[in-house]
Amino acid sequence: MPTTVLLVDDERNIQLTLSRALSMEGYAVEVAGGGREALEKIAALPVDVVVMDVRMPDLDGLSVLEKARETRPELPVVIMSGHGSLDTVRSAFKLGAFDYLEKPITEKEKLLVAVRNALALTTLRQENAALRREAGPAEMIGSGAAMRRLFDVIRRAAPSEGRVLVTGENGTGKELVARALHAGSRRKDAPFVKLNCAAVPAELIESELFGHERGAFTGAVAARKGKFEQADGGTLFLDEVGDMPAAMQAKVLRVLQEGEFERVGGQQTLRCDVRVVAATNRDLPADVKAGRFREDLYYRLNVVPIHAPPLRERREDVPELAARFLAEACERNGRRPMRLAREAVLSLQAHEWPGNVRELRNLVERLAILCDGPEIGGADVAAVLPDARRPRPDRFRAGASFHDLVEEAEREIVLGALDAHGDNVAETARALGLERSHLYKKMRALGVKRGEGEGS
Ligand SMILES: Nc1ncnc2c1ncn2[C@@H]1O[C@H](COP(=O)(O)OP(=O)(O)OP(=O)(O)O)[C@@H](O)[C@H]1O
Ligand SMILES: [Mg+2]
């Protein structure tokens, strides 16, 4: 996404000359002809820096600055004034202006330097904030609110000894969460052992969990440690725990309660120090109600619940994930680095992602293999995502809240209308019978980032 400069001035020729100078430097330029429009755009668009006149007919620059502080305190604002009394300058700095330029701006370079410095400040602040926040778990990508919340819970839960139950749809990253919990615990140098509870054959359950002595049964040619013993001192990850057969549930419950077990065919009672992290894509409380899953085991496992959010509820993370997966796929497949065009990213963001991050990863890999050019376009994505925007005949679906369904519908309507009007926000608003500011707000709320070129 290009860096966006919001230029606020009521004089048409200043708008023209300055926005040209900024565009030539590669910035995306938004123009507001007055203070109110400036505030609307600051609220609705991904503005990175503001260059603003002080004297404007509707709302002066200082008032805009003051109001913008409330909603976007980190947004750098460069003030311009031709009537530069010392008082104005002083007030501007007091209100937190980043810099001050005297009008007329005859040297474009001064403007550009001010903008560059303002942006450098933002980058520095963001880096500091990121350092303070600490990085998320190593391989987990995501910087939207949902993922920040997830990283926060992981950070709190990891060092504790509490058992964690990770829930979430297929491909949401439950295993990564489990690994991050291990990596953030005092057990990090001990083993992380995974057991897929759905894949253990009935006759091997006990030996798989607790191991066996040599000769314990036909085929037991050597003694073998079970998963609990292998994980001693570390973490045992019980994956697909909701699919654990009843016989296995009883055995696992016993170890969790007593902390003891015997190998199959063994006489000795063994103890082990294992932290259990379990994961499921099933609705375990429903399985408990239906008698498919033991309630006592459920409560033992679910001390700290952690939910991995589906990708369609954190579309803001799609660009970053896609970029990383594309780089990895190119490398894996021996291809030159490729990039995703804006339209490609937008269609990826609009997709429903039933298979979540795994689906995104596979799809990006397919694109990396199938596409020729250095850039993957919107049409390339549409070809592998044929149903991207086809309206669903039946909007209701079980498990989705009314709010989510309405939001989905709104996103489709807004994206469709923007498509039909070449991303021109003013025309789209007119076509939908909405105030332009209302549409901007809506777009922001829905995470729709389009129409950047509008107004410049
Ligand atoms: N936040 C993330 N950042 C980077 N990669 C991710 C992220 N979340 C998931 N992935 C990747 O997506 C794929 C699926 O993740 P993972 O296996 O952890 O999901 P899961 O929830 O356990 O899925 P399932 O329920 O199907 O077992 C993996 O390749 C993983 O590396
Ligand atoms: Mg998994």
Side-chain angles (χ1 to χ4, degrees):
M1 185 140 323
T3 305
T4 304
V5 181
L6 175 64
L7 179 64
V8 190
D9 201 307
D10 54 324
E11 280 181 57
R12 187 72 193 145
N13 56 343
I14 292 183
Q15 290 177 6
L16 283 176
T17 47
L18 297 191
S19 64
R20 196 173 303 134
L22 290 163
S23 305
M24 301 245 295
E25 279 291 300
Y27 297 117
V29 184
E30 285 287 335
V31 176
R36 288 189 204 290
E37 196 184 345
L39 284 175
E40 276 177 15
K41 292 205 163 173
I42 290 170
L45 295 173
V47 174
D48 297 297
V49 51
V50 179
V51 177
M52 179 163 55
D53 191 17
V54 171
R55 283 214 188 164
M56 287 178 296
D58 63 337
L59 187 67
D60 70 89
L62 296 185
S63 314
V64 176
L65 179 58
E66 196 172 2
K67 288 219 160 61
R69 292 273 122 212
E70 291 165 14
T71 49
R72 297 267 318 262
E74 83 300 347
L75 180 67
V77 178
V78 176
I79 288 288
M80 318 180 273
S81 176
H83 329 276
S85 76
L86 213 54
D87 271 353
T88 311
V89 181
R90 223 179 268 136
S91 315
F93 280 122
K94 219 173 182 171
L95 289 170
F98 174 76
D99 206 347
Y100 179 87
L101 293 171
E102 179 114 359
K103 271 172 131 183
I105 298 175
T106 44
E107 290 168 66
K108 304 274 153 50
E109 197 49 35
K110 278 203 176 139
L111 168 72
L112 298 178
V113 167
V115 168
R116 266 201 294 276
N117 287 343
L119 289 167
L121 172 84
T122 315
T123 313
L124 203 70
R125 279 194 190 140
Q126 281 167 351
E127 282 169 5
N128 283 341
L131 281 178
R132 271 198 303 277
R133 251 193 275 121
E134 292 176 50
E139 333 81 281
M140 293 193 80
I141 303 170
S143 43
M147 285 305 270
R148 283 208 307 275
R149 271 198 299 277
L150 179 65
F151 294 158
D152 199 49
V153 182
I154 292 175
R155 215 162 19 243
R156 283 166 209 269
S160 81
E161 287 289 307
R163 291 187 194 123
V164 177
L165 178 65
V166 188
T167 56
E169 297 174 14
N170 286 331
T172 44
K174 296 186 294 297
E175 183 165 343
L176 288 189
V177 171
R179 290 182 185 277
L181 288 167
H182 176 72
S185 75
R186 67 167 176 86
R187 301 171 173 270
K188 65 176 188 301
D189 298 318
F192 174 90
V193 175
K194 173 176 158 179
L195 175 61
N196 184 338
C197 302
V200 184
E203 66 282 7
L204 290 182
I205 290 172
E206 215 169 344
S207 128
E208 194 66 20
L209 291 171
F210 312 127
H212 58 252
E213 296 297 348
R214 184 173 166 212
F217 48 85
T218 330
V221 289
R224 189 164 162 266
K225 284 185 183 177
K227 298 287 183 184
F228 274 92
E229 224 178 318
Q230 290 171 29
D232 196 21
T235 304
L236 177 61
F237 176 42
L238 297 177
D239 201 6
E240 318 283 358
V241 77
D243 300 299
M244 197 188 273
M248 189 165 162
Q249 292 180 30
K251 297 203 161 76
V252 169
L253 180 66
R254 199 196 131 209
V255 213
L256 296 187
Q257 276 171 339
E258 296 164 16
E260 294 181 347
F261 59 90
E262 292 92 34
R263 286 181 178 177
V264 178
Q267 304 300 318
Q268 213 185 340
T269 297
L270 303 170
R271 299 197 63 88
C272 63
D273 163 32
V274 167
R275 180 194 195 184
V276 170
V277 174
T280 184
N281 54 11
R282 299 183 57 99
D283 179 356
L284 272 194
D287 286 342
V288 167
K289 251 195 207 122
R292 281 188 296 267
F293 199 85
R294 295 182 67 124
E295 188 170 20
D296 41 10
L297 180 57
Y298 172 67
Y299 285 115
R300 294 238 167 221
L301 293 172
N302 189 28
V303 178
V304 183
I306 295 188
H307 182 67
L311 192 51
R312 66 181 166 281
E313 283 172 17
R314 49 188 192 96
R315 294 176 200 264
E316 65 278 12
D317 293 335
V318 168
E320 199 183 342
L321 283 163
R324 169 84 72 91
F325 293 155
L326 182 60
E328 287 172 0
C330 289
E331 173 140 1
R332 232 189 344 270
N333 294 288
R335 305 211 50 166
R336 278 173 198 285
M338 298 166 93
R339 60 179 181 273
L340 288 153
R342 201 168 77 101
E343 287 67 31
V345 175
L346 288 168
S347 335
L348 289 177
Q349 262 178 316
H351 183 57
E352 279 307 302
W353 301 113
N356 293 294
V357 185
R358 181 179 297 110
E359 183 188 0
L360 174 62
R361 169 177 231 147
N362 293 344
L363 200 127
V364 168
E365 175 139 29
R366 204 178 323 155
L367 287 167
I369 293 169
L370 295 179
C371 299
D372 293 325
E375 182 167 274
I376 296 171
D380 298 319
V381 174
V384 292
L385 273 185
D387 60 345
R389 288 195 200 137
R390 199 183 307 145
R392 239 186 311 277
D394 187 2
R395 286 224 143 269
F396 167 72
R397 79 179 177 274
S401 72
F402 180 72
H403 175 266
D404 289 345
L405 294 171
V406 169
E407 199 177 284
E408 263 170 35
E410 287 188 340
R411 190 176 287 105
E412 280 183 19
I413 292 167
V414 169
L415 285 170
L418 283 165
D419 275 350
H421 295 91
D423 281 357
N424 182 313
V425 177
E427 275 181 41
T428 307
R430 219 170 295 130
L432 291 172
L434 289 176
E435 287 291 327
R436 193 154 49 132
S437 58
H438 185 135
L439 179 58
Y440 272 129
K441 278 204 197 91
K442 206 54 299 155
M443 286 166 64
R444 199 153 92 119
L446 294 170
V448 174
K449 294 190 178 129
R450 293 245 226 142
E452 270 103 330
E454 196 262 343
S456 60

